[in-house]
Amino acid sequence: MAQSFTTFKQASDLPAWQKLQTLYDSKGKSLPVKQLFKEDPERFNKLSHTFTNFDDSKILFDFSKNIVDDEILAQLVELAKEANVYGLRDELFEGDKINFTENRAVFHPALRNRANVAMDVDDKNVAPEVDDVLAHMKEFSEQVRSGEWKGYTGKEITDIVNIGIGGSDLGPVMVSEALKPYAKKGLRAHFVSNIDGTSIAEEVIKQLNPETTLFLIASKTFTTAETITNATSAKTWFLETAKDTKHVAKHFVALSTNKEKVVEFGIDEANMFPFASWVGGRYSVWSSIGLSVAIYVGFDHFNDFLKGAEAVDKHFKEAPPEKNIPLLGGLLSVWYNNFFNAQTHLIAPFDQYLHRFPAYLQQLSMESNGKGVTRSNEYVKYSTGPVLFGEPATNAQHSFFQLVHQGTKLIPADFILAAQSHNPIDHNLHQRMLASNFFAQSEALMVGKTQEQVEAEGTPADLVPHKIFLGNRPTTSILTQLITPATLGALIAYYEWVTFTEGAVWNINSFDQWGVELGKALAKKIQPELENKSEIDAHDGSTNGLINQYKAWAA
């Protein structure tokens, strides 16, 4: 299919956008959601959608507490049509190079194509090569988990350490934490990404035995500075005990495509797990980058994780717009970002196992849509990617929820809860308390608390203003049955397509990340300047002063 990005208009020039602005001005900005529930008893049924996964598990997405009515929703769907969201979606699934600044396809759905349908890039079906890598991952992960794979002294592996950065770290660590109930007993997973020496020396290596540790080096090019520096430090630590470099091959594997560098490091090329150029870093957990997950929770569970995402891909491709769950989520984000001027978005999982989920979504959202230039090479005329943040509740209720409830900023929020706990202690009392907060927080944000209600409680007059809650703060509630591998895969894919929808409407390239390059390039120039004691004057006054003070103190 011929790419059509050059013909796209600025989103704000589209007729549907201008109609939405009129709707916002006339009623949207003061639309009382609790009143809409009174007027329409069927609002919840109309604006909530249940997704059924491949294993018949369910996820309920409740959009009914959002500041929309039928007319606004219909116009948001029209905006998606005018912005060619569906056309760009189809180009993505057909393997077109919609990441045009890097001349790459965006084909992560092919990584979870468990139906094995043909998926072509450059006239080549990539499904067989994806299956080959998955078969290699299955074989290797089962060898490690069974004890067949042994270290250089004949002992079984007890610890796996994933060394990566960005998507090569955030994905594996988040998924491993989220699926910890499925982990093999006695097998520990560790993750190193930060170049701060404390990350590997204090936080990981001190806990390890070199005879029973397996390192996974996650770097497509095997040249990523932070990753290779950490990997080299791990290798040095390992050889202090193992002595002979031939033993490296039993304790290090590579998630990479650079065979020359991998072999030079001492890794057997048979233990190299590649992934294609069309796999973006923030979408790479579905690829061989997920090897640590496959080892930790087992390949069958990893496969279910892929199939859960595949089911959402199918839904996003086939569901009609008014029932397309990720499409609606993305359009609501645009509604708040661009018409309510909401600069942030809260993700609050009511699940301790999902404690790294907001951090994972931060990269997905902000690296994708933190862009200021359209696909037609014009500066955008409107706000793009929101600042995404979050922490697990109920802890979050005692930190930043005050701002969400009574602050001056509108902060749309997504709340996530599983009905069933993996740890139903004390007759499931803890889960019921957690659930009560999940329901109460979204209700409180919507209904608020009026001056009359506060006064009726006998509140002293001088405290009344402080106890009023304006309400009408939008939330989307996501209720699952249980956080399983399939459910987690579906949740991640939901947010991937939400992010895609946002970027498509805003007419930006959600799939490059040039913004991370400048700081890296300057760091490479500065590092040699730190190797001697001489004063530096090659930068601006602040940077010179900071470098010179650092050198004095570091000495």
Side-chain angles (χ1 to χ4, degrees), residues 50-306:
T50 300
F51 170 76
T52 302
N53 214 327
F54 76 93
D55 58 358
D56 290 328
S57 62
K58 314 286 187 186
I59 307 175
L60 173 64
F61 293 82
D62 175 20
F63 298 118
S64 64
K65 290 189 176 80
N66 283 280
I67 309 173
V68 291
D69 60 11
D70 292 345
E71 186 180 18
I72 292 169
L73 271 178
Q75 202 57 47
L76 284 168
V77 169
E78 180 63 23
L79 176 64
K81 179 180 178 181
E82 291 182 9
N84 197 33
V85 173
Y86 317 129
L88 192 67
R89 173 199 62 190
D90 294 343
E91 290 178 20
L92 184 153
F93 277 100
E94 290 171 14
D96 287 356
K97 295 179 180 179
I98 64 169
N99 179 1
F100 65 94
T101 65
E102 297 178 304
N103 195 34
R104 289 178 183 170
V106 179
F107 221 39
H108 50 276
L111 299 169
R112 54 232 193 183
N113 172 28
R114 306 316 304 131
N116 275 316
V117 300
M119 297 187 72
D120 292 357
V121 173
D122 293 328
D123 298 321
K124 177 186 177 184
N125 179 15
V126 301
E129 67 184 63
V130 170
D131 260 11
D132 286 346
V133 173
L134 286 172
H136 190 191
M137 292 171 65
K138 175 179 171 65
E139 177 188 33
F140 184 79
S141 61
E142 290 178 349
Q143 286 177 336
V144 174
R145 288 171 61 84
S146 69
E148 180 184 346
W149 182 281
K150 292 181 172 60
Y152 75 100
T153 61
K155 296 180 180 179
E156 295 183 10
I157 298 299
T158 60
D159 294 84
I160 54 173
V161 182
N162 186 88
I163 298 179
I165 198 166
S168 298
D169 170 77
L170 284 166
V173 70
M174 181 276 290
V175 175
S176 295
E177 286 294 302
L179 300 183
K180 190 173 284 187
Y182 298 89
K184 174 181 168 61
K185 290 184 178 179
L187 182 64
R188 300 189 299 171
H190 313 268
F191 299 88
V192 175
S193 60
N194 199 335
I195 195 59
D196 184 341
T198 302
S199 177
I200 188 167
E202 180 68 27
E203 299 297 321
V204 175
I205 281 180
K206 285 188 177 181
Q207 307 177 49
L208 303 177
N209 176 355
E211 298 176 70
T212 60
T213 299
L214 178 69
F215 292 94
L216 314 179
I217 314 304
S219 172
K220 184 184 292 188
T221 62
F222 220 74
T223 58
T224 309
E226 298 91 341
T227 299
I228 300 308
T229 299
N230 279 326
T232 301
S233 295
K235 178 180 170 183
T236 300
W237 168 82
F238 172 76
L239 289 175
E240 286 174 358
T241 301
K243 307 301 181 186
D244 195 330
T245 56
K246 72 180 182 182
H247 297 318
V248 169
K250 296 297 292 181
H251 292 267
F252 288 78
V253 302
L255 317 178
S256 178
T257 55
N258 191 337
K259 184 171 75 172
E260 182 180 351
K261 289 287 184 183
V262 166
V263 172
E264 181 183 318
F265 189 88
I267 295 173
D268 186 339
E269 66 178 276
N271 299 322
M272 188 175 82
F273 298 80
F275 52 102
S277 63
W278 40 258
V279 180
R282 52 195 174 277
Y283 304 96
S284 62
V285 71
W286 315 105
S287 72
S288 61
I289 292 295
L291 180 61
S292 58
V293 179
I295 297 173
Y296 190 51
V297 306
F299 186 83
D300 288 345
H301 287 136
F302 183 75
N303 196 48
D304 284 349
F305 171 66
L306 299 179

Side-chain angles (χ1 to χ4, degrees), residues 316-463:
F316 186 62
K317 285 175 64 178
E318 298 177 0
E322 64 277 4
K323 294 183 179 180
N324 195 305
I325 297 170
L327 178 76
L328 294 172
L331 292 173
L332 286 169
S333 178
V334 171
W335 175 235
Y336 295 124
N337 185 298
N338 296 109
F339 297 92
F340 287 80
N341 197 30
Q343 298 296 306
T344 59
H345 192 105
L346 166 63
I347 306 289
F350 285 67
D351 191 304
Q352 188 58 32
Y353 285 125
L354 292 177
H355 70 103
R356 296 295 292 164
F357 195 54
Y360 175 81
L361 295 182
Q362 282 177 333
Q363 184 194 30
L364 172 63
S365 175
M366 293 195 282
E367 192 168 80
S368 295
N369 289 339
K371 313 289 171 59
V373 177
T374 70
R375 292 198 295 272
S376 303
N377 296 328
E378 300 174 320
Y379 285 103
V380 296
K381 301 175 182 177
Y382 36 80
S383 173
T384 58
V387 175
L388 190 147
F389 72 104
E391 285 289 335
T394 56
N395 276 1
Q397 294 171 201
H398 295 270
S399 55
F400 52 76
F401 268 46
Q402 169 64 45
L403 177 66
V404 182
H405 278 282
Q406 288 186 306
T408 59
K409 298 173 173 62
L410 181 78
I411 303 176
D414 292 0
F415 293 165
I416 304 169
L417 174 74
Q420 300 171 31
S421 171
H422 285 287
N423 300 289
I425 63 174
D426 199 7
H427 305 289
N428 215 29
L429 171 63
H430 289 255
Q431 193 67 7
R432 291 197 300 276
M433 289 181 66
L434 187 68
S436 68
N437 281 276
F438 171 83
F439 301 126
Q441 288 293 333
S442 64
E443 183 178 35
L445 284 164
M446 181 187 74
V447 303
K449 196 171 187 180
T450 66
Q451 179 176 339
E452 291 74 20
Q453 289 173 311
V454 175
E455 289 174 342
E457 294 173 348
T459 305
D462 59 340
L463 288 181

